[in-house]
Amino acid sequence: MASEASLPSVLAPPGAKGMWLVCLKRYGWWGLLAPALLLYALVFFLPLSVLVADSLHPSGAADLSLANYNAFFTDGITLSIFLRTVRLALFVTLACLVFGYPLALFMRRAGPAMRMVALTIVVSPLLTSVIVRNVAWLLVLGREGMVNTLLRNAGLIDGPLPLLYNTFGVVVGVTHVYLAFLVLPVFSALLAIDPSTEQAAASLGASRFTVFRRVTLPMSMAGVIAGSTLVFVLTMGVYLTPVIMGGSFVTTLPMVMTDLVRTQFDFSRAAAFGVMLLVFITAILIASSRAEKRIEQMRGEMP
Amino acid sequence: MSETRIGLFVGSIASLVMVFLVLPQVILLVQSFTAEDYLSFPPRLALVIGTAAAIGLDRGPMVLRKAMRTALVSPMILPHVVLGMAIYRVFLPIRFDDTVTGFLIAHLVLCVPYVIVTVGASLQGMDRSLEQAAVSLGASVPMALWRVVLPLIRPGLIGGAVFAFITSFDEFIVTYFLASRQTTAPIQIFSSLSYQLEPSIAAVSGLTLVVTAALCGLLILRGGMAGTARVA
Amino acid sequence: MIDKMKLSRRAALKTLGVAAAGALAAPSVITRSLAAGETLVVYNFDGLLGKVIKDHWIDPFSQKTGVKVEVLTMQGSSPPMAKIKAQIDAGRPDADVIPMQMTDYIFGVRNNLFQPIDAKDMPEYANLYPDYITPYGPKLVLWSYGLAYNTDKIKTAPTAWADLWDPQYKGKAALNEALFDQALEMVNLVSKGKPLPVDDGTFAALTKLRPNLATLWTTGAQAEQLLRTGEVWIMPVWNGRVYPLKDQGVPVDFVAPKEGFFTRSDPFCIPRGAKNPDIAKAFINFSCTAAPQQAMAEKLFYASPNQKVVYPPDIAKRVVVATKEDMARAVPENFEVIVDNLPEWRRRWDAWKQS
């Protein structure tokens, strides 16, 4: 039997075991859930409820009002910024698909060592500080940056390309880190495909491309949907990368909300915008999980 | 002919994408670095709370399990800006905004979901016969949990610890709302050192890289060892 | 240290009798034994300005009085007003001393956020230009806003704000978004010859500038980065961010445009409910004195309201407003009007960015 000493030391701060055993003995399984539930109640559900309540009281007024939600659609700016945020999220998702899917395919075919290397590389942006990552991109994409210098030295361009402080720059910065969220689900979906299915299709005379289009792609669709949804939803909440790499001309909804809270003293309006963002994200997630379920069902019906 | 061309195509796209991913990190490693003070938050507590919750979810009541799981994991997908604002709104009037405790519990909510997910996955993949054997030999349920289950799901625990660490270490926006005198490395870079790729920036980034790489190495090693142990 | 203390006392005594009598009870005479061990919490700027204030205002004050000074760093050049207001409303502000932007100052006064500072408690006020004394604290750090340009890329120095619109700077200019009100005034100077009012004409002129704008920035550190990397060749920025770069060998220089330059200053205020108002007053008074002010002028080229500060010729040119006459030449700004209109301007500015 494994001894206690073999437990990871991170799990055994003084008192942890005591807390566990007391919780478990007194309150059963609910006891184990209690600390997390208490934490969430205080720092998650309570603040979010306050947020919703605030959003209904514009500028601290006592009366309930939908004025803040109204402003989202009618102030002439917020809706357009929201739509631009959606557009940015779509661009990022598309970029992740275009670059991430082939990478996942490659990782599936690669040997174990290469696979490990590729996996490490894919995850590595997640392990780098977000600001540091973005500042490094400034050096790569700037007017006098690496890309422009290389292209100019190669004689391919006359003037520097505008790679930074626009939507392109932000898409690059966000794609860089969120690519992992697409590659990993797609990769695991690809791994789950039985190679014999593809071999069977090939032996029946299908070209490699047809095999990919008719077998591999459909069978990895669940991973594609899960990954794209994750990337899309995460991008909707992105703040720092557009601030650093977008100049202020690329504005996202989270930037508007932060500005409202920090400099414009309008918490209730920011709260309303936050609730709108949450509703939108929830809708996307529900739609995505329905789509995944349908795909599972369709696969179940396949002979 | 065309098949090798497709293979070449996929391979070259893959290599390009990998260069794209690694380029900024390489540039930063080239910058020299010196040690710099920073404050980070121990994700240990997140691990204890998250693991307990994951086991509770796995073994506990069937009613509400799915709803509770969704609720417990939801901070992962919630935009941090929204959560940051909300926590700031609640903490500020009671002047809890700039305290270490306030930071700690705000970060906990961000970290715990990762632990629940990774540990939950390990629990599902675990062979329960060993645990049942321990109970049938007279061990109490809590004892079996502590002595048998936890060692078995060690890879999940370490994975959860790594994710919790990364999340807490690199968290920006929630801290940005709450902090005035308590700061974390990302806030420091953003405020005073920002944008001038000076040694201190490279130091913090190098530190992040080294620490996370070490943790990953640990994860892989421990995971591998746990695997062999189980086989043996 | 003690000599300086005596000097400031003597200077105060030389002035009106009222001020002299007050000086006896003034917090600036807090002795080492009285204040030692106390902690003062001060908001400070980021970047080089923050460092100069730390080295030449905060640390000497700390050494002299034994007061421990804790520094809170602002993100950019403005204090987080929403948070500060919430903290003051809750009765427990973090900081004892907060440097304000003029617009934040007006906002703070209207919302009753500050403690009045009686001139009796501030012996050093005797040496300040009276225009720079407010009921809630002295206006220190006189920064001037002009044009910075890259001397490598731009051979003939720009002379006017209007040069920003020059088609040869397509995609090579930038504006400060954090002080967008000042950017709007600047656009008005060019298109109307006067800073106000902000109207459709202002935004039309701004739209004409749009092709030249590579980006907008929000913190001085960002501005430095843009100039240092050659990303931006010409932009409005404050003098104290440009000359230190120039001294580091970055090919940049600063001009005060012929339509007029802006000079703003930052009132140092004490929030209501501050824990240590007396030590805060002592610190602000010390900051007004000649030595810290002289250091600010020499290190960062920000002028001082203290008449005792002398600028050597090379520094006088860089501080832009070295004399009372220079100060009078700065574009007059009506901050009450600006603060009244800020929300509306911001709405239009945000809409303009999206267009």
Side-chain angles (χ1 to χ4, degrees):
Chain A
M1 198 181 277
S3 74
E4 206 173 307
S6 74
L7 272 178
S9 60
V10 274
L11 193 72
K17 186 180 177 186
M19 182 200 99
W20 271 54
L21 295 185
V22 168
C23 282
L24 191 58
K25 276 199 182 121
R26 271 222 197 123
Y27 307 106
W29 300 114
W30 285 99
L32 283 180
L33 277 165
L37 290 178
L38 185 69
L39 175 76
Y40 276 57
L42 287 179
V43 202
F44 190 70
F45 294 109
L46 172 71
L48 287 183
S49 319
V50 172
L51 192 80
V52 174
D54 274 359
S55 73
L56 296 167
H57 296 279
S59 317
D63 298 334
L64 283 179
S65 153
L66 288 174
N68 283 326
Y69 292 92
N70 210 12
F72 182 90
F73 295 101
T74 56
D75 71 356
I77 305 162
T78 313
L79 187 63
S80 109
I81 288 176
F82 171 74
L83 293 176
R84 275 157 195 262
T85 313
V86 172
R87 193 184 64 164
L88 177 77
L90 285 175
F91 281 156
V92 171
T93 312
L94 196 69
C96 284
L97 274 175
V98 168
F99 295 110
Y101 197 93
L103 183 58
L105 270 183
F106 169 83
M107 279 162 58
R108 179 193 182 205
R109 286 178 199 172
M114 190 61 214
R115 204 179 263 182
M116 201 62 221
V117 170
L119 211 57
T120 314
I121 289 178
V122 167
V123 181
S124 70
L126 290 175
L127 309 183
T128 322
S129 159
V130 52
I131 296 177
V132 167
R133 212 165 50 214
N134 286 329
V135 172
W137 275 115
L138 295 184
L139 297 185
V140 177
L141 296 179
R143 183 195 299 284
E144 311 281 330
M146 206 167 138
V147 173
N148 272 320
T149 312
L150 280 178
L151 289 177
R152 202 165 357 177
N153 290 348
L156 291 172
I157 51 169
D158 296 328
L161 298 174
L163 303 173
L164 209 54
Y165 305 120
N166 50 27
T167 307
F168 175 82
V170 180
V171 170
V172 170
V174 179
T175 304
H176 178 227
V177 61
Y178 288 162
L179 199 62
F181 291 112
L182 187 111
V183 171
L184 296 180
V186 172
F187 175 57
S188 65
L190 285 172
L191 276 188
I193 300 175
D194 187 348
S196 62
T197 326
E198 288 161 320
Q199 283 155 11
S203 69
L204 291 173
S207 74
R208 199 156 162 190
F209 182 68
T210 313
V211 172
F212 171 73
R213 198 166 56 89
R214 305 292 294 271
V215 180
T216 318
L217 189 60
M219 292 188 81
S220 61
M221 215 49 204
V224 169
I225 289 179
S228 322
T229 309
L230 206 54
V231 170
F232 183 86
V233 164
L234 288 172
T235 309
M236 285 303 293
V238 80
Y239 171 83
L240 205 55
T241 305
V243 166
I244 295 178
M245 293 181 68
S248 287
F249 288 121
V250 182
T251 313
T252 61
L253 197 59
M255 284 162 77
V256 174
M257 286 154 51
T258 310
D259 195 49
L260 278 169
V261 173
R262 283 181 63 99
T263 61
Q264 297 185 48
F265 311 96
D266 202 343
F267 188 87
S268 61
R269 181 161 295 191
F273 294 177
V275 173
M276 291 300 292
L277 186 60
L278 283 189
V279 168
F280 178 74
I281 286 177
T282 312
I284 295 281
L285 288 172
I286 291 173
S288 150
S289 82
R290 289 242 169 104
E292 258 181 89
K293 261 189 204 133
R294 268 188 50 191
I295 286 176
E296 291 295 323
Q297 280 168 2
M298 274 159 60
R299 197 191 287 178
E301 286 158 13
M302 277 198 313
Chain B
M1 183 69 185
S2 89
E3 284 187 13
T4 48
R5 212 180 291 159
I6 291 176
L8 207 67
F9 176 71
V10 170
S12 49
I13 288 193
S15 333
L16 273 177
V17 174
M18 286 194 273
V19 169
F20 164 82
L21 289 172
V22 137
L23 190 63
Q25 280 89 311
V26 171
I27 287 199
L28 287 166
L29 274 185
V30 171
Q31 307 264 338
S32 66
F33 58 86
T34 51
E36 173 87 9
D37 283 347
Y38 71 95
L39 186 66
S40 85
F41 294 96
R44 287 177 158 208
L45 199 52
L47 195 61
V48 175
I49 295 178
T51 307
I55 295 175
L57 271 181
D58 193 62
R59 304 293 160 80
M62 287 294 287
V63 274
L64 292 178
R65 175 184 289 173
K66 208 176 157 202
M68 230 153 51
R69 201 184 135 77
T70 311
L72 287 174
V73 169
S74 54
M76 273 172 85
I77 314 176
L78 186 79
H80 284 192
V81 175
V82 179
L83 188 60
M85 271 171 56
I87 293 180
Y88 168 81
R89 164 71 179 75
V90 173
F91 280 9
L92 201 56
I94 53 171
R95 291 313 327 275
F96 207 45
D97 55 306
D98 195 34
T99 59
V100 174
T101 324
F103 269 42
L104 184 72
I105 62 175
H107 277 216
L108 267 183
V109 163
L110 299 173
C111 299
V112 165
Y114 287 96
V115 179
I116 293 182
V117 167
T118 47
V119 174
S122 282
L123 280 171
Q124 281 184 348
M126 194 192 80
D127 177 6
R128 288 182 75 164
S129 57
L130 278 176
E131 184 191 355
Q132 284 152 3
V135 173
S136 68
L137 288 175
S140 69
V141 173
M143 201 41 84
L145 204 60
W146 189 261
R147 295 259 164 131
V148 181
V149 176
L150 285 185
L152 278 177
I153 57 170
R154 194 166 48 191
L157 294 178
I158 296 169
V162 170
F163 272 115
F165 175 81
I166 293 169
T167 310
S168 176
F169 191 81
D170 198 30
E171 205 293 313
F172 179 80
I173 191 78
V174 174
T175 320
Y176 189 58
F177 275 115
L178 295 180
S180 352
R181 84 193 73 192
Q182 313 292 346
T183 53
T184 59
I187 301 280
Q188 261 187 20
I189 306 175
F190 188 68
S191 64
S192 55
L193 321 162
S194 57
Y195 309 103
Q196 319 172 13
L197 267 184
E198 277 178 356
S200 16
I201 255 197
V204 176
S205 65
L207 197 69
T208 328
L209 269 182
V210 169
V211 170
T212 44
L215 278 172
C216 280
L218 192 76
L219 169 68
I220 293 163
L221 269 176
R222 289 279 190 103
M225 270 157 52
T228 46
R230 206 182 307 165
V231 172
Chain C
M1 292 296 161
I2 292 162
D3 285 351
K4 271 186 208 152
M5 189 86 177
K6 277 184 187 154
L7 250 178
S8 81
R9 283 283 306 279
R10 206 178 302 147
L13 283 166
K14 269 196 292 183
T15 58
L16 293 169
V18 182
L24 291 175
S28 65
V29 291
I30 283 178
T31 54
R32 205 181 161 84
S33 60
L34 251 176
E38 296 277 359
T39 300
L40 185 73
V41 185
V42 178
Y43 259 109
N44 196 1
F45 300 93
D46 63 4
L48 202 49
L49 175 55
K51 186 168 173 354
V52 171
I53 289 183
K54 175 90 171 63
D55 291 352
H56 298 277
W57 300 16
I58 292 174
D59 287 351
F61 173 77
S62 201
Q63 277 170 19
K64 194 174 87 169
T65 57
V67 170
K68 186 171 165 294
V69 181
E70 190 181 349
V71 173
L72 308 182
T73 304
M74 308 193 271
Q75 318 283 338
S77 315
S78 313
M81 285 305 286
K83 179 187 272 187
I84 288 171
K85 180 174 184 301
Q87 291 180 349
I88 293 173
D89 291 344
R92 284 170 60 193
D94 272 338
D96 299 304
V97 177
I98 312 177
M100 292 286 158
Q101 294 289 324
M102 273 311 291
T103 45
D104 295 333
Y105 169 75
I106 302 284
F107 175 88
V109 171
R110 287 182 183 180
N111 285 280
N112 190 22
L113 298 185
F114 310 134
Q115 297 187 9
I117 299 180
D118 199 320
K120 285 205 308 278
D121 298 339
M122 307 296 279
E124 194 59 27
Y125 273 9
N127 291 324
L128 303 191
Y129 293 115
D131 293 352
Y132 290 88
I133 297 170
T134 80
Y136 302 99
K139 296 199 246 176
L140 307 173
V141 192
L142 277 61
W143 44 273
S144 293
Y145 207 55
L147 273 177
Y149 68 100
N150 185 318
T151 51
D152 266 1
K153 311 279 186 185
I154 301 177
K155 291 304 174 194
T156 45
T159 57
W161 293 116
D163 290 337
L164 278 170
W165 276 259
D166 192 327
Q168 65 168 314
Y169 303 134
K170 188 169 182 303
K172 299 181 181 80
L175 288 178
N176 179 0
E177 171 153 50
L179 291 173
F180 72 99
D181 50 314
Q182 213 165 20
L184 293 173
E185 288 184 301
M186 181 276 289
V187 172
N188 272 343
L189 272 187
V190 174
S191 60
K192 298 189 171 75
K194 53 186 183 118
L196 296 173
V198 172
D199 53 23
D200 293 348
T202 314
F203 282 95
L206 197 57
T207 302
K208 289 208 188 86
L209 182 60
R210 178 69 183 86
N212 280 8
L213 296 177
T215 182
L216 304 173
W217 49 273
T218 48
T219 68
Q222 256 176 312
E224 270 188 50
Q225 154 84 9
L226 292 170
L227 286 171
R228 198 190 289 270
T229 55
E231 195 72 35
V232 164
W233 294 2
I234 181 168
M235 67 172 158
V237 71
W238 39 91
N239 53 335
R241 278 285 177 182
V242 182
Y243 287 119
L245 275 185
K246 186 182 177 184
D247 292 343
Q248 287 170 31
V250 179
V252 287
D253 213 341
F254 179 88
V255 288
K258 66 182 178 198
E259 295 99 331
F261 57 87
F262 296 93
T263 296
R264 284 190 184 177
S265 47
D266 304 332
F268 277 57
C269 301
I270 304 175
R272 263 191 309 113
K275 280 194 209 77
N276 283 311
D278 288 340
I279 301 176
K281 283 177 197 163
F283 170 71
I284 294 175
N285 187 69
F286 173 80
S287 302
C288 294
T289 57
Q293 291 293 311
Q294 184 80 34
M296 178 59 71
E298 285 174 10
K299 302 281 176 194
L300 215 49
F301 317 108
Y302 287 139
S304 169
N306 192 318
Q307 304 174 35
K308 291 266 154 77
V309 170
V310 283
Y311 307 99
D314 54 325
I315 291 186
K317 188 186 160 293
R318 289 181 163 197
V319 296
V320 186
V321 284
T323 65
K324 191 93 174 90
E325 291 71 45
D326 292 335
M327 291 177 190
R329 285 206 346 262
V331 176
E333 292 183 274
N334 187 336
F335 294 107
E336 297 284 346
V337 172
I338 292 176
V339 172
D340 284 341
N341 288 292
L342 217 47
E344 169 64 11
W345 291 356
R346 187 188 298 276
R347 201 186 62 74
R348 296 197 64 172
W349 172 271
D350 285 343
W352 168 77
K353 277 199 305 183
Q354 298 300 314
S355 62

